[in-house]
Amino acid sequence: MIVFIDDSGDPSFKIDKGASKNFVICCVIYDDELEAERTAVAIKELRRKLKFSDRVEFKFNGSTFKTRIAFLEEVSKYKFRVRALVVDKTKIKSGQLKNDKQSFYSYFIKTVLQYNKGTIKNAKIRIDGSGDRIFRKKFLTYLRKQLNSKQQKVINNITLVDSKTNVLIQLADMIAGTIRRYKDREKEDASKYWLKIKNRIEDCWEFK
């Protein structure tokens, strides 16, 4: 089992100044690594069909409607599961989560993996570690301690990867963006993206 994790939104609580109301953590889960490889090849081939450079990174934010639809249609042909956590930041009371970006990311990534209803076991975990998210060794150690015990082992191994070079992290980004757009309910195109991938959604729950 291999799991690719990315997010959509931001950890800022200044919603009145433009920060996102919702924050989404998305896990794309493959029970078969060969299927993950097939998906990766398909994404790279799609990039060429769209006449993009091999260095172009698929990201929900900044992509056109045409690119988003083409991407979601292509990946929906492959077998993977999606588990996602949607955080309405207006409902967060913890001062630490509000004021410590590292704690915010660590806690919610741990949470989406911890409450998996037994569907994620002994998995290879790959998390986007690019951009301004500075995950350090203590973050990975925290996840191992929180998620592995004598009773259950969620993590086999875990690494941070660069989304620029990993198209399956890009897949997690595109789906996380789709989910947040749908949950925000602010733009008319939201349901069009959602319909493309809803059959892959195993669980999409709201943090309370």
Side-chain angles (χ1 to χ4, degrees):
M1 183 181 294
I2 186 164
V3 182
F4 298 89
I5 301 176
D6 204 354
D7 56 74
S8 180
D10 56 72
S12 173
F13 282 78
K14 297 179 180 178
I15 297 169
D16 58 335
K17 295 184 178 180
S20 65
K21 176 177 179 286
N22 290 314
F23 179 79
V24 174
I25 294 281
C26 173
C27 299
V28 174
I29 306 159
Y30 284 92
D31 297 300
D32 181 351
E33 283 197 55
L34 183 56
E35 189 72 357
E37 291 173 12
R38 292 191 186 106
T39 312
V41 170
I43 293 171
K44 292 173 183 176
E45 289 178 345
L46 174 66
R47 192 162 52 191
R48 293 191 174 183
K49 285 179 188 174
L50 295 174
K51 302 188 185 307
F52 293 164
S53 161
D54 288 347
R55 294 186 296 275
V56 166
E57 179 180 359
F58 284 106
K59 291 184 73 69
F60 189 88
N61 285 339
S63 290
T64 64
F65 174 80
K66 178 182 176 181
T67 297
R68 290 168 178 163
I69 290 294
F71 185 96
L72 296 171
E73 284 182 344
E74 184 62 36
V75 299
S76 67
K77 300 172 185 176
Y78 297 88
K79 191 174 181 181
F80 58 85
R81 303 181 280 123
V82 174
R83 298 189 66 83
L85 170 62
V86 180
V87 180
D88 179 346
K89 290 186 287 183
T90 64
K91 297 179 179 179
I92 300 298
K93 302 291 191 294
S94 167
Q96 184 173 7
L97 294 181
K98 287 183 175 182
N99 298 306
D100 186 339
K101 179 179 175 182
Q102 182 73 35
S103 293
F104 182 91
Y105 278 114
S106 299
Y107 179 76
F108 287 115
I109 289 175
K110 183 265 293 188
T111 299
V112 75
L113 288 169
Q114 183 175 28
Y115 298 102
N116 68 68
K117 298 180 181 179
T119 64
I120 302 176
K121 298 177 181 178
N122 199 31
K124 297 178 181 177
I125 308 291
R126 304 291 179 260
I127 303 176
D128 178 24
S130 61
D132 63 351
R133 283 159 288 189
I134 306 173
F135 292 109
R136 292 185 165 85
K137 287 183 179 179
K138 64 179 182 180
F139 166 68
L140 300 181
T141 300
Y142 165 80
L143 290 180
R144 290 188 191 98
K145 286 183 177 179
Q146 292 289 319
L147 298 168
N148 286 350
S149 67
K150 291 181 179 179
Q151 290 72 37
Q152 69 169 6
K153 185 178 181 182
V154 173
I155 298 171
N156 178 299
N157 64 66
I158 183 168
T159 56
L160 303 175
V161 297
D162 188 345
S163 62
K164 292 184 177 64
T165 57
N166 190 304
V167 293
L168 295 178
I169 289 291
Q170 294 172 32
L171 167 60
D173 174 279
M174 293 290 280
I175 295 181
T178 294
I179 293 170
R180 186 165 74 89
R181 178 68 61 94
Y182 185 70
K183 292 295 182 178
D184 284 348
R185 302 188 185 283
E186 293 177 353
K187 298 188 178 180
E188 293 181 0
D189 60 354
S191 62
K192 295 178 181 178
Y193 305 129
W194 176 260
L195 287 172
K196 298 297 180 184
I197 54 95
K198 71 173 186 176
N199 290 338
R200 292 286 174 264
I201 306 292
E202 181 176 84
D203 194 15
C204 181
W205 56 286
E206 297 182 7
F207 180 80
K208 294 179 180 178

